[in-house]
């Protein structure tokens, strides 16, 4: 707005009469009322979530999630991960696993489907928050944004957050450990080797195990 200072000054030039003061007073009263209601609701939420304080603390460690996001995730997916045999089941249930579509032998980008809107909103905000951090999730977002665009990058980060949440909630003693923003760079030299091993296993039908050469 620095380039519009003169325009702002002109827009703010005028007279503040009693009528304007009356309207401003009403708006401030409304703001105070909403603030009081928000504080009261926050207190009720804290009381309801108190038995799950340990799980909230676990999820709060995930970049971008935060305390409120952790509470929202627990409210929607619960804390008992026994209902989801694997992290993939949780991701699929939340509709955060894009499905591939094929037509006439051609693969087309798929959508995740319509899932829980509250989970989607929470994961979307968490993904945006994680994108601002120098972490594995932040690096994942920026790498995918360059290749697939922002919406798909957010879905991928949301997918990763759900997988992390499943592992944390499955183990009361687990804590989040960030792989670091350079994880993909460290992994890159191993990709060609893994691809060749996979191709050899496919052709041979046998399990291939690499060993370091001895002098």
């Amino acid at each position: 707005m620095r380039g519009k200072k003169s325009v702002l000054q002109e827009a703010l030039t005028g007279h503040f009469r009693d009528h304007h003061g009356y309207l401003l007073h009403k708006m401030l009263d409304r703001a105070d009322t909403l603030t009081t209601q928000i504080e009261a609701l926050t207190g009720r939420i804290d009381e309801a979530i108190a038995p799950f304080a340990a799980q909230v603390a676990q999820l709060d460690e995930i970049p971008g999630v935060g305390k409120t996001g952790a509470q929202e995730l627990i409210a929607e997916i619960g804390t008992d991960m026994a209902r989801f045999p694997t992290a993939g089941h949780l991701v699929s249930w939340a509709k955060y696993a894009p499905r591939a579509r094929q037509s006439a032998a051609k693969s087309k980008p798929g959508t995740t489907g319509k899932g829980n809107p509250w989970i989607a909103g929470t994961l979307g905000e968490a993904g945006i928050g994680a994108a601002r951090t120098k972490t594995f999730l932040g690096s994942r977002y920026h790498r995918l944004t360059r290749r697939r665009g922002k919406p798909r990058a957010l879905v991928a980060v949301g997918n990763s957050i759900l997988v992390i949440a499943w592992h944390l909630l499955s183990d009361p003693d687990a804590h989040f450990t960030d792989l670091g923003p350079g994880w993909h760079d460290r992994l890159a030299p191993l990709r060609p080797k893994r691809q060749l091993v996979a191709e050899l296993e496919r052709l041979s039908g046998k399990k291939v195990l690499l060993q370091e050469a001895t002098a």
Side-chain angles (χ1 to χ4, degrees), residues 31 55 82 118:
Q55 290 88 339
W118 308 112

Side-chain angles (χ1 to χ4, degrees), residues 191-210:
R191 285 179 184 160
K193 183 186 294 185
R194 287 212 296 250
Q195 290 172 352
L196 291 173
V197 168
E199 182 67 12
L200 183 58
E201 289 179 342
R202 185 183 68 81
L203 293 173
S204 65
K206 297 181 180 180
K207 185 68 176 178
V208 176
L209 178 64
L210 297 182

Side-chain angles (χ1 to χ4, degrees), residues 2-76:
R2 291 180 180 177
K4 300 181 180 181
K5 283 186 177 181
S6 60
V7 179
L8 290 173
Q9 289 174 349
E10 182 180 355
L12 294 173
T13 299
H15 301 281
F16 191 86
R17 300 185 176 87
D18 290 342
H19 175 67
H20 301 109
Y22 174 80
L23 295 177
L24 181 59
H25 180 71
K26 291 298 181 182
M27 287 188 284
L28 291 175
D29 284 346
R30 180 59 174 166
D32 290 340
T33 300
L34 292 175
T35 299
T36 301
Q37 292 177 348
I38 291 173
E39 291 175 349
L41 287 172
T42 300
R44 291 292 297 271
I45 292 173
D46 289 339
E47 291 178 4
I49 206 72
F52 312 104
Q55 290 88 339
V56 170
Q58 281 182 305
L59 299 185
D60 189 14
E61 295 176 353
I62 306 174
V65 174
K67 179 182 176 182
T68 300
Q71 292 175 340
E72 292 173 352
L73 284 176
I74 289 175
E76 298 303 325

Side-chain angles (χ1 to χ4, degrees), residues 64-167:
V65 174
K67 179 182 176 182
T68 300
Q71 292 175 340
E72 292 173 352
L73 284 176
I74 289 175
E76 298 303 325
I77 69 176
T79 58
D80 182 11
M81 292 298 101
R83 70 188 68 186
F84 303 110
T86 66
H89 285 80
L90 171 59
V91 171
S92 178
W93 173 82
K95 296 292 188 285
Y96 256 73
R99 298 167 296 179
R101 295 182 300 165
Q102 286 188 334
S103 177
K106 293 183 179 180
S107 296
K108 299 180 180 180
T111 61
T112 58
K114 293 183 179 180
N116 186 314
W118 308 112
I119 292 180
T122 298
L123 291 177
E125 291 183 7
I128 293 173
R132 302 191 185 103
T133 64
K134 292 183 179 180
T135 61
F136 167 78
L137 291 175
S139 175
R140 178 170 173 77
Y141 172 81
H142 291 294
R143 286 180 68 257
L144 292 174
T145 296
R146 291 191 293 269
R147 296 188 293 112
R148 308 298 297 274
K150 293 182 179 180
R152 291 181 181 176
L154 281 176
V155 171
V157 173
N159 180 303
S160 296
I161 290 175
L162 279 178
V163 171
I164 295 170
W166 183 88
H167 284 284

